[in-house]
Amino acid sequence: MSRRCELTGKAVLSGHLVSHSNRKTKRKFLPNLCNVTLQSDTLQRSVRLRVSANALRSVEHRGGLDAFLAKAKADDLSTTARTIKREIEKKLAAAS
């Protein structure tokens, strides 16, 4: 399981841990990932994703998973999120 957010694409960053004497050693900055179950209003089902806390806030801010995926670029999304986005777009197109 990769340390990457499925909605925003945030991943592990590398950098230095700098001591008081300015000695630098390598360290990793890990994204704050959470396993969450989000509800899709269009698909009438829940979806399990591994997302960062930042992405979870963005989903809430935009008004749910459907609204977030509608605005999100496909390049940033994981394969699971891309398929969900496609399913939502198909369902909305069929309803129109």
Side-chain angles (χ1 to χ4, degrees):
M1 188 181 293
S2 66
R3 291 185 177 138
R4 181 178 293 274
C5 174
E6 293 192 74
L7 295 179
T8 58
K10 280 191 178 221
V12 178
L13 294 172
S14 62
H16 288 106
L17 184 102
V18 183
S19 69
H20 178 68
S21 64
N22 208 26
R23 176 173 280 188
K24 295 167 185 74
T25 54
K26 285 291 210 178
R27 66 157 290 184
K28 290 183 195 171
F29 293 95
L30 302 177
N32 185 7
L33 295 177
C34 314
N35 294 315
V36 295
T37 305
L38 297 170
Q39 189 69 34
S40 172
D41 299 328
T42 310
L43 300 176
Q44 297 291 314
R45 67 181 174 97
S46 56
V47 181
R48 291 197 58 186
L49 295 170
R50 191 164 190 229
V51 300
S52 63
N54 187 340
L56 197 54
R57 288 184 53 155
S58 299
V59 168
E60 291 294 320
H61 179 74
R62 290 205 182 147
L65 180 65
D66 299 346
F68 181 88
L69 289 175
K71 285 189 172 184
K73 294 178 183 171
D75 305 345
D76 297 335
L77 301 174
S78 68
T79 53
T80 311
R82 259 186 235 145
T83 55
I84 295 165
K85 179 177 174 150
R86 242 180 270 120
E87 285 177 28
I88 291 170
E89 287 172 347
K90 282 180 187 175
K91 191 131 187 188
L92 289 174
S96 297

